Amino acid sequence: MRLGIIGLPNSGKTTVFNALTGSSYPTEPFSSGQLEIHTAVVNVPDARVDKLSEVFKPKKTTYATVQYTDIGGLDKGIGEGGLSGPMRNELQQVDGFVHVVRAFADDAVPHPYDAVDPRRDLEIIDNEFLLLDLIAVENRLARLEEERKKGKIDNKQQHAAETALMERLHAHLSDERPLRDLDLTPAELKSLRGYGLLTLKPVLVVFNTDEAGEDPAAGLDYDHRKTLMLSLRGRLEAEIAQLDNPEDVALFLEEYAIAEPSRDRVIHLSYELLDIISFLTYGEDEVRAWPLRKGGTAVDAAGTIHSDLARGFIRAEVIAFEDFIAAGASVAEVKARGKMRLEGRDYIVRDGDMIVVRFAI
Ligand SMILES: Nc1nc2c(ncn2[C@@H]2O[C@H](COP(=O)(O)OP(=O)(O)OP(=O)(O)O)[C@@H](O)[C@H]2O)c(=O)[nH]1
Ligand SMILES: [Mg+2]
């Protein structure tokens, strides 16, 4: 799972990236407009994993991860001007976006459009993405038309269905609405996978502010599906992420009256945004959280661990994490209470399920 951090020049993308990943890439008020890409892998904080690790004392503890890519170089006009190949690749390949919007006022940091205006800035990038998708859809429609004219259609039904779908997308985009707001069937979504359509991807909007308590998201009319919003103090958060010592972090939080760093919240929202849950495996060797798409089955979970486990799947022993805690964090006690379930391959896995896969190959 990878999220691309996007936004206008000087909005604080690299600052937010540093805050999330604990990296220390330089953030400069004048570096704008360059294609610049950094990626880092981040552990998803999970108190359940901490607890299991404490109980089982495994050799290894592994958290689920999310990747963040800081994609510098987006600005007004990229839609019309066309994207460079590397930029296109980055944008198309990520699973979703973290859209950083400037909400801090600071004369030392020039704003590309002079005044701080989160609503407008949000729209600038959104409009570029709408235009890029519109161009992609128009290109595809032109191709389909060409095939029709030349009588080069292998499968008439498929050709007609695709043309109809592309026309629907076109109408929706022409209305200046992102594709993630459109009702699409799983089959339609699947058929669109290869196009890397940008407005189809989920978005976490992050307002980068300086003020405690300020919420630029409040009162903002931005009602889209697969869209979440939050505000954070980017520069402060990036400074916190550089501290190694938990006591220093605590002091810092107190001084600036921050209840908890936003980092964890952003990471959790990223997970939620991508419709992912975690299931857990446990034992003396390893305690681990694994990501699974919401709605995934026991056999999907098995396949996430290893393809052999999916192939030879017999049953899954499942314990809900809460039942484990309620039973005094003892597997024997969970069993004694009849709270360990044996589930078949089609069982829909829930967030926090502790799973042992029985298999034979
Ligand atoms: N006052 C204030 N300044 C910030 C904040 N976040 C970022 N900055 C400053 O804004 C400038 C730009 O920050 P970056 O993180 O480099 O912004 P960016 O979006 O990565 O910029 P480009 O990659 O050049 O487009 C730097 O001088 C930062 O220190 C903030 O929350 N408050
Ligand atoms: Mg940057």
Side-chain angles (χ1 to χ4, degrees):
M1 281 138 333
R2 193 155 66 94
L3 285 145
I5 303 181
I6 56 164
L8 285 179
N10 275 352
S11 52
K13 300 178 293 296
T14 304
T15 302
V16 169
F17 175 82
N18 286 344
L20 290 176
T21 64
S23 322
S24 44
Y25 285 99
T27 58
E28 289 150 27
F30 299 107
S31 64
S32 319
Q34 303 290 324
L35 171 66
E36 206 186 77
I37 294 164
H38 325 286
T39 297
V41 180
V42 173
N43 282 342
V44 178
D46 192 333
R48 299 168 304 196
V49 174
D50 300 339
K51 179 67 187 177
L52 290 180
S53 187
E54 190 190 308
V55 172
F56 291 97
K57 303 188 174 38
K59 296 193 190 92
K60 206 172 146 199
T61 299
T62 311
Y63 293 82
T65 58
V66 187
Q67 286 185 54
Y68 291 98
T69 299
D70 174 14
I71 307 176
L74 287 178
D75 203 347
K76 197 191 263 183
I78 47 153
E80 216 147 330
L83 288 176
S84 70
M87 173 73 93
R88 183 182 302 276
N89 269 340
E90 289 302 320
L91 294 176
Q92 291 189 341
Q93 281 170 17
V94 295
D95 301 299
F97 296 111
V98 174
H99 188 163
V100 177
V101 178
R102 176 166 172 174
F104 64 88
D106 187 339
D107 291 339
V109 183
H111 192 293
Y113 301 102
D114 299 326
V116 175
D117 183 346
R119 164 90 247 179
R120 174 205 56 201
D121 291 359
L122 191 53
E123 258 172 26
I124 289 177
I125 298 281
D126 279 0
N127 286 340
E128 296 302 332
F129 279 18
L130 283 170
L131 181 59
L132 286 163
D133 279 358
L134 194 64
I135 293 170
V137 167
E138 279 173 357
N139 287 342
R140 185 63 201 155
L141 276 169
R143 259 269 180 62
L144 289 163
E145 173 65 10
E146 198 179 318
E147 282 172 16
R148 195 185 58 79
K149 273 192 192 148
K150 288 189 179 158
K152 276 201 325 201
I153 300 171
D154 297 335
N155 182 334
K156 257 197 170 147
Q157 210 177 344
Q158 196 186 325
H159 188 275
E162 203 193 339
T163 305
L165 175 59
M166 286 294 159
E167 276 165 359
R168 257 177 80 208
L169 301 191
H170 192 271
H172 189 82
L173 289 164
S174 303
D175 246 7
E176 299 188 353
R177 286 187 296 160
L179 293 176
R180 60 186 188 283
D181 283 346
L182 187 64
D183 287 317
L184 293 164
T185 64
E188 285 170 335
L189 281 172
K190 198 171 163 206
S191 75
L192 292 175
R193 239 181 242 164
Y195 295 104
L197 295 164
L198 303 178
T199 66
L200 204 52
K201 297 180 196 278
V203 181
L204 172 60
V205 179
V206 170
F207 293 100
N208 186 16
T209 159
D210 257 349
E211 308 292 326
E214 184 205 13
D215 189 5
L220 190 86
D221 168 33
Y222 194 72
D223 191 13
H224 297 293
R225 294 181 190 171
K226 295 201 268 177
T227 303
L228 298 171
M229 289 199 232
L230 95 165
S231 303
L232 57 75
R233 296 157 81 181
R235 193 185 261 176
L236 269 187
E237 299 275 347
E239 281 172 32
I240 296 171
Q242 294 302 316
L243 303 173
D244 298 325
N245 187 340
E247 284 164 28
D248 294 342
V249 174
L251 276 176
F252 204 103
L253 295 180
E254 199 184 309
E255 187 177 340
Y256 289 96
I258 301 175
E260 55 163 353
S262 303
R263 184 182 170 273
D264 291 8
R265 206 152 44 100
V266 174
I267 296 169
H268 285 138
L269 285 181
S270 306
Y271 224 59
E272 196 182 311
L273 186 74
L274 299 178
D275 262 335
I276 295 165
I277 59 165
S278 292
F279 70 92
L280 309 161
T281 56
Y282 57 94
E284 283 163 15
D285 283 333
E286 190 181 26
V287 161
R288 181 161 180 171
W290 304 80
L292 186 71
R293 84 185 151 73
K294 218 178 259 177
T297 61
V299 78
D300 294 332
T304 305
I305 301 170
H306 197 287
S307 56
D308 284 351
L309 267 62
R311 209 151 40 91
F313 184 94
I314 301 171
R315 285 204 175 281
E317 295 174 355
V318 181
I319 304 173
F321 181 77
E322 302 78 62
D323 290 339
F324 178 70
I325 296 302
S330 151
V331 173
E333 180 60 23
V334 169
K335 282 185 184 163
R337 294 181 178 192
K339 289 288 190 183
M340 177 186 278
R341 289 171 277 130
L342 283 179
E343 302 284 4
R345 47 193 305 128
D346 295 329
Y347 166 73
I348 305 289
V349 174
R350 295 196 207 122
D351 189 46
D353 276 350
M354 296 165 55
I355 295 184
V356 175
V357 177
R358 291 192 192 162
F359 72 110
I361 47 168

